[in-house]
Amino acid sequence: MANWRRSLADGFWALDRALGGQRRPTRIQNWVARRPIGTGICVAVPFTLLVLSLSRAEEPDDPLFAVVSGLLMGLVFGLTALSERLRQRRLKRLGIWDGS
């Protein structure tokens, strides 16, 4: 079982290298990695407001749908920011990037 997980992890990191995952992060990637909760909120609030503005007034479930969809969108972006933080931690550990 351990070999299967290890080969899966090796395959993921090989794909990451092929897609440019060992390049230095940009300033925006640094900002996002330092603030994953803020990133999620910065996405969730405008998305919720957009869905609310597009909703019909006669539908009572539309505000609930807008809030839930905004929270889900914020969660997706927050988890993506968290994965960027882990990628940057790995770059520091491998000595590819000094963290500046």
Side-chain angles (χ1 to χ4, degrees):
M1 187 70 168
N3 290 336
W4 180 78
R5 287 183 182 170
R6 185 67 187 160
S7 63
L8 185 64
D10 290 342
F12 173 78
W13 291 119
L15 177 66
D16 184 57
R17 275 191 306 275
L19 295 175
Q22 290 190 343
R23 280 188 258 154
R24 291 177 53 95
T26 62
R27 285 191 318 184
I28 294 198
Q29 286 173 322
N30 284 334
W31 189 90
V32 165
R34 288 184 184 135
R35 300 163 185 88
I37 295 173
T39 301
I41 291 172
C42 286
V43 171
V45 170
F47 189 79
T48 302
L49 293 175
L50 174 70
V51 174
L52 273 175
S53 69
L54 296 175
S55 67
R56 299 178 305 261
E58 62 269 2
E59 291 293 328
D61 292 337
D62 282 350
L64 178 64
F65 174 74
V67 170
V68 169
S69 62
L71 287 174
L72 288 175
M73 189 64 74
L75 180 68
V76 167
F77 274 78
L79 290 175
T80 303
L82 189 62
S83 69
E84 175 63 26
R85 177 185 279 188
L86 295 175
R87 183 185 80 89
Q88 290 180 14
R89 188 178 296 166
R90 182 175 183 272
L91 290 177
K92 286 180 190 176
R93 188 179 70 239
L94 294 175
I96 296 171
W97 179 55
D98 61 357
S100 60

